[in-house]
Amino acid sequence: MKSNHDLQNVIYHMLVTQIKLGVYHFNDHLPYIKEMSLYLQVAPETIRYAYNKLKDNHYISLSKNTGAKIIIEYSQDEIQNHIQEFFITRKDALIDLSQSMQPLFSHIQWLSLKNASEESLNELEQLITKREIFVSYRAIHIFLKLFSFLKNDILIRLIWWIYIFYQIPFFSVYKEISILEKNGYLLLEIVRLCRQQDWDKLKIAIDKSHEQIHTNLMQFYKSHIHYASSHEKIAFSWDVYKRNEQKQYSLGTEIIQDLSRGNYREGSFLPSLDSLAIQKNVSVSTVRRTLTLLRQIGAVKSINGVGTQILPINKIAENCDFSQNSTKKRLSDFVQSLYILTNSCQEIVQLTLVHMDESEINQLIILLEKLRNIHRCELAAYSVLHYVVKYAPYNAISIIYSQLFEQLLWGYPLRSIMKVLHNITIHIDTLIECLHIKDFNHCSHIVERLMINDLISASQYLEKIGLTTHIDIHTTNLKSK
């Protein structure tokens, strides 16, 4: 049985929404399956599933001769009611997300464009000026392309999800085409600045493009959305994993988190399969697959007739089976998530620290002092990011950072390696001092510096053992030089 979070169902619900919002009307044709798969950047099989479900639920007819044809008819009043209902139930989430876009992605987009070749810029320019497809589909193509030059799969999945949730519905009903085309001209200006290598002006133009879409959304709500709704509000959510059945990965990160917090002592044994299944509310088979994964990354070791033993930090790397595809994938998820956090944290940490009250800042200082006293200074930056998850002023940032933060646990095999590569005691002392005097700008730069150090260390080590990370260290490091 498919979950509503599976890709096929996400596409199905998006198409239902477009039909209800009047993007497609009675007797209109949906794009052919191959066309729609190109528009949405998903496999044709995914579109085929969504189309068949639309047919089963009497939204469309399907035939080889005419393709997918809308057979449900909504009046203009019904379409207006659907628009009101859709946007009023998502108002808080959409506005929050639109405010989060610039701090989350502006610098990463800047880095991506700096990596773009002349050929890639030509392709991007053609996408921006393309007029024969819906502006909503054109938008997702453009923005996926804007971030594609970094070769970060998790980033692309995140951007895709945001545009399915936010941009496609908004662009589908927003009628101020002149405003949208103005944004297109701004994107052309971004391409021009890339070609000129005017990086300072490029950053300003990227910020402006995010601000403009937020402004357009606010104007849309002010002028078009007036009804109240009795329905429950719909919040933004995101799951870093592609498929719902990947429960073993979520359970794996949960157990590693327990190990990191000291809930299990080094050398002790995990509970039995049955006990873990009951504790974590999963099946025994899920626990078994999870333990296999944890053995592969060197976190635990099976001893026949005894159980699953927790390995000490200095034994993890030597017990990690770097040849396993599952290990490589988890380490890839780790470094890709670390990259996103590293290249967005400076602005987001400062934004969050400004938002936190006196008692919350003091709690963070106490935590950092404790880390210093127990000689765990390498966790300083991650402790600050944990406070971002708890206290970020925008819910979308908390959700996205929470998911990315969880993926850092897959770097568990690299902990002992990364710990000794640089002395950060001076950094944590400065960080504590800056928090005391509320120099949050300097605090955020220290966190970024520490994150960059870890990103470089992890990437270099993984490249050394033959795992390609696609991380351009020199580009990543430019911002802090």
Side-chain angles (χ1 to χ4, degrees):
M1 189 169 94
K2 297 291 182 183
S3 160
N4 282 339
H5 290 287
D6 284 337
L7 193 56
Q8 299 98 321
N9 281 293
V10 170
I11 299 296
Y12 164 76
H13 287 294
M14 186 211 77
L15 291 170
V16 169
T17 297
Q18 288 193 310
I19 293 168
K20 287 186 173 182
L21 299 185
V23 177
Y24 299 105
H25 296 87
F26 179 68
N27 278 336
D28 283 350
H29 287 81
L30 294 178
Y32 288 108
I33 288 174
K34 286 186 178 180
E35 287 179 320
M36 186 66 88
S37 73
L38 288 173
Y39 293 163
L40 299 180
Q41 302 286 283
V42 297
E45 292 76 16
T46 302
I47 302 299
R48 187 172 288 108
Y49 172 91
Y51 277 22
N52 282 326
K53 191 169 181 179
L54 287 171
K55 178 187 175 184
D56 292 343
N57 290 318
H58 311 294
Y59 285 101
I60 65 172
S61 62
L62 273 176
S63 73
K64 290 183 179 180
N65 294 329
T66 60
K69 185 178 179 181
I70 308 298
I71 60 173
I72 193 167
E73 187 170 9
Y74 292 115
S75 68
Q76 282 302 311
D77 285 344
E78 287 175 315
I79 289 172
Q80 285 304 311
N81 286 335
H82 292 155
I83 290 172
Q84 294 292 323
E85 189 66 43
F86 180 91
F87 283 96
I88 200 65
T89 54
R90 292 163 177 80
K91 181 177 181 179
D92 293 345
L94 292 179
I95 292 175
D96 178 275
L97 187 55
S98 72
Q99 292 172 311
S100 303
M101 293 294 286
Q102 187 275 328
L104 276 169
F105 300 118
S106 185
H107 181 62
I108 296 175
Q109 189 176 325
W110 180 79
L111 286 173
S112 181
L113 287 164
K114 282 173 67 69
N115 276 359
S117 65
E118 184 63 30
E119 181 182 359
S120 296
L121 291 175
N122 288 338
E123 291 175 9
L124 181 57
E125 194 171 51
Q126 290 173 6
L127 276 175
I128 295 168
T129 55
K130 206 169 187 177
R131 295 292 182 267
E132 58 267 29
I133 63 175
F134 281 133
V135 67
S136 55
Y137 298 151
R138 185 156 36 106
I140 198 170
H141 263 248
I142 291 168
F143 285 101
L144 285 175
K145 191 70 176 177
L146 285 170
F147 291 92
S148 67
F149 310 126
L150 295 175
K151 299 178 181 178
N152 188 313
D153 292 338
I154 288 180
L155 175 64
I156 292 300
R157 293 207 298 271
L158 172 57
I159 293 298
W160 185 90
W161 182 260
I162 286 172
Y163 279 91
I164 290 291
F165 181 87
Y166 163 37
Q167 295 286 22
I168 282 186
F170 176 49
F171 285 157
S172 294
V173 301
Y174 192 55
K175 303 303 183 184
E176 304 298 330
I177 298 299
S178 61
I179 299 295
L180 296 178
E181 297 306 332
K182 184 178 178 181
N183 194 56
Y185 296 140
L186 184 55
L187 291 172
L188 289 174
E189 173 70 4
I190 285 172
V191 173
R192 185 184 67 80
L193 292 170
C194 283
R195 290 198 172 105
Q196 294 178 349
Q197 298 188 4
D198 193 336
W199 307 127
D200 290 338
K201 287 185 179 178
L202 175 63
K203 179 63 169 64
I204 294 170
I206 291 169
D207 287 344
K208 186 177 179 181
S209 68
H210 289 297
E211 290 166 6
Q212 188 174 79
I213 295 176
H214 170 67
T215 300
N216 293 346
L217 179 69
M218 297 301 292
Q219 289 174 344
F220 172 75
Y221 269 102
K222 184 177 180 179
S223 58
H224 291 84
I225 307 302
H226 308 297
Y227 297 176
S229 173
S230 58
H231 289 76
E232 186 177 349
K233 290 183 178 180
I234 296 174
F236 172 75
S237 63
W238 176 58
D239 189 340
V240 72
Y241 296 120
K242 292 181 182 178
R243 298 186 298 274
N244 189 52
E245 50 266 36
Q246 291 177 303
K247 290 180 181 178
Q248 66 266 33
Y249 300 137
S250 295
L251 178 58
T253 57
E254 190 175 332
I255 293 175
I256 294 173
Q257 199 165 45
D258 287 338
L259 301 182
S260 300
R261 290 171 176 170
N263 294 345
Y264 299 111
R265 290 182 294 104
E266 292 180 357
S268 66
F269 289 83
L270 287 173
S272 67
L273 290 177
D274 289 336
S275 296
L276 270 176
I278 293 170
Q279 286 178 20
K280 304 298 184 181
N281 194 27
V282 295
S283 67
V284 171
S285 61
T286 296
V287 174
R288 189 176 287 112
R289 290 195 298 271
T290 301
L291 294 184
T292 298
L293 181 61
L294 294 178
R295 284 195 296 272
Q296 289 171 353
I297 68 170
V300 299
K301 181 179 181 180
S302 290
I303 300 178
N304 288 336
V306 181
T308 304
Q309 187 178 36
I310 310 301
L311 292 176
I313 290 177
N314 60 354
K315 296 289 184 181
I316 296 170
E318 64 186 68
N319 283 279
C320 180
D321 188 354
F322 291 104
S323 67
Q324 290 286 336
N325 286 333
S326 59
T327 305
K328 293 177 182 178
K329 183 64 179 72
R330 301 285 72 79
L331 288 170
S332 176
D333 288 347
F334 155 70
V335 79
Q336 288 182 23
S337 297
L338 183 59
Y339 184 92
I340 299 169
L341 291 167
T342 298
N343 287 297
S344 61
C345 69
Q346 193 274 318
E347 189 163 355
I348 286 176
V349 166
Q350 183 173 354
L351 192 69
T352 302
L353 291 175
V354 169
H355 181 72
M356 288 164 59
D357 63 30
E358 189 81 26
S359 65
E360 292 159 353
I361 295 292
N362 288 336
Q363 290 170 21
L364 177 56
I365 291 172
I366 291 169
L367 175 58
L368 294 173
E369 288 174 340
K370 180 180 178 181
L371 292 175
R372 181 182 59 191
N373 294 338
I374 63 174
H375 309 293
R376 298 300 305 275
C377 297
E378 78 278 4
L379 299 178
Y382 303 101
S383 298
V384 176
L385 294 187
H386 179 64
Y387 271 68
V388 169
V389 172
K390 290 174 65 176
Y391 299 115
Y394 303 126
N395 191 50
I397 291 177
S398 295
I399 291 167
I400 291 167
Y401 260 52
S402 175
Q403 286 288 309
L404 296 174
F405 194 78
E406 193 172 279
Q407 298 312 298
L408 298 187
L409 296 168
W410 294 119
Y412 198 70
L414 308 181
R415 282 179 60 182
S416 58
I417 297 163
M418 293 165 63
K419 183 176 180 179
V420 299
L421 285 178
H422 48 269
N423 183 353
I424 60 171
T425 305
I426 295 174
H427 289 294
I428 196 170
D429 288 340
T430 308
L431 186 57
I432 291 169
E433 180 184 346
C434 289
L435 285 171
H436 275 298
I437 64 175
K438 295 184 172 49
D439 185 354
F440 298 142
N441 180 51
H442 196 182
C443 286
S444 63
H445 281 287
I446 294 171
V447 171
E448 182 192 48
R449 179 75 261 167
L450 294 173
M451 297 289 289
I452 287 174
N453 286 343
D454 277 0
L455 179 62
I456 292 173
S457 299
S459 299
Q460 287 178 336
Y461 181 80
L462 293 176
E463 295 278 359
K464 184 179 178 181
I465 63 173
L467 299 182
T468 304
T469 64
H470 298 297
I471 300 298
D472 187 336
I473 291 171
H474 301 294
T475 302
T476 301
N477 211 20
L478 276 174
K479 188 180 176 189
S480 292
K481 282 187 176 180

